[in-house]
Amino acid sequence: MKSVKNLPLTNKCHHWTHLGEVPWDLQKYWQQRYTIFPYYDDGIYMTEDAWYGVTPEPVAIRLVYDLVGFISADTRTVIDMFAGVGGNAISLAMATEEDGFTPRFEKVIAIEVDDATLACAQNNAAIYGVADRIIWVLGDSFEFLKLLIKSPDQLGEDLRVDIATTAIFASPPWGGPGYRTDEIFDLATMEPYNLAALHEAYKIMDHALYLPRTSDLRQIAKLVPEGAKIDVVQYCVEGASKAMVAYIPATDKKKSCRIADQPTS
């Protein structure tokens, strides 16, 4: 598995400029485009599926701030397991040390299984000026992780990282907008990857899981390593909760617990 650069935009990549161009079921998302990407008019491209899952920029910025506070100072690599059209990867690449200039992460690895979606991500990161700070991978993130742990020699040299100084960020698909109808969302039913499958894959590293806002906290609590606690944060935009992020330490880490609301604007 190797990194890729400069994937071409395809006919699945769209930059809609008028409401009439937008499929009816995506129109409400498109009307929120400046919250999702304030630089949308500069040439942001999206696939149709990406509108359902992209992280609004104010949330992406805030959660990266929280992620930096959660991980240890010697964590120098972060892997975005479901890069989508790049919203989270862009914020991770833009994160800096306290001096405001030095990148917080030496490596940001962004993995996406769909070529059109990854092409959009690379285009969007270029608009923000950080495309070259991100190592892009076209492939399955679980296969990448398997190789990283068991057969790193099968990865390109730029993808081989020290697991001890690497953290994971994962914004997996939730199974479509149907999750909104549940007062408490059962994470065991999340598709195509449920909570248990995600945690099992990621537990050897500190990891942050971007989950539906109504996720069952009892299910998340069961993931706490022995003797440790976790952070769970609700992220809001204009007073409305958009998602919940669980910051979970690696199996041998101990962290403090916080369940709190964190408005982002």
Side-chain angles (χ1 to χ4, degrees), residues 51-260:
W51 287 99
Y52 294 111
V54 63
T55 304
E57 185 171 299
V59 174
I61 291 171
R62 178 65 201 199
L63 68 83
V64 169
Y65 174 86
D66 289 340
L67 176 66
V68 169
F70 163 70
I71 60 179
S72 63
D74 60 355
T75 300
R76 306 312 302 172
T77 298
V78 63
I79 305 172
D80 183 353
M81 302 295 283
F82 301 93
V85 292
N88 295 306
I90 290 168
S91 289
L92 289 165
M94 293 179 72
T96 62
E97 299 285 7
E98 292 184 2
D99 63 12
F101 299 99
T102 307
R104 172 60 182 81
F105 298 107
E106 294 174 3
K107 283 188 178 182
V108 175
I109 299 174
I111 308 171
E112 172 55 47
V113 71
D114 180 70
D115 60 343
T117 304
L118 190 60
C120 290
Q122 291 178 332
N123 171 82
N124 299 341
I127 289 172
Y128 281 79
V130 294
D132 292 339
R133 296 189 201 172
I134 302 170
I135 302 172
W136 306 96
V137 179
L138 178 62
D140 180 86
S141 61
F142 292 97
E143 179 62 22
F144 171 87
L145 201 58
K146 180 180 177 181
L147 293 175
L148 178 63
I149 296 169
K150 297 183 177 181
S151 304
D153 57 315
Q154 295 185 36
L155 295 173
E157 187 173 349
D158 56 347
L159 299 177
R160 301 173 196 171
V161 299
D162 178 10
I163 291 174
T165 59
T166 299
I168 285 174
F169 175 81
S171 177
W174 297 342
Y179 68 88
R180 295 178 180 174
T181 62
D182 294 342
E183 184 175 348
I184 299 178
F185 182 67
D186 183 357
L187 293 165
T189 67
M190 191 164 62
E191 296 179 352
Y193 317 105
N194 64 22
L195 179 65
L198 294 167
H199 179 63
E200 182 64 26
Y202 305 155
K203 66 182 182 180
I204 65 169
M205 289 176 262
D206 289 344
H207 54 286
L209 300 180
Y210 188 90
L211 301 168
R213 59 184 175 79
T214 57
S215 296
D216 191 336
L217 289 173
R218 295 166 298 182
Q219 293 174 311
I220 297 172
K222 292 178 180 179
L223 306 179
V224 181
E226 184 177 356
K229 297 181 180 180
I230 63 175
D231 293 359
V232 179
V233 183
Q234 286 275 359
Y235 291 90
C236 305
V237 176
E238 297 179 354
S241 177
K242 294 297 183 181
M244 172 190 297
V245 177
Y247 296 90
I248 305 173
T251 51
D252 61 347
K253 298 287 183 68
K254 295 178 174 60
K255 300 288 182 181
S256 61
C257 179
R258 180 180 74 243
I259 296 179

Side-chain angles (χ1 to χ4, degrees), residues 17-29:
T17 58
H18 303 286
L19 185 62
E21 301 175 288
V22 184
W24 69 269
D25 55 332
L26 296 177
Q27 289 182 0
K28 70 174 182 179
Y29 299 102

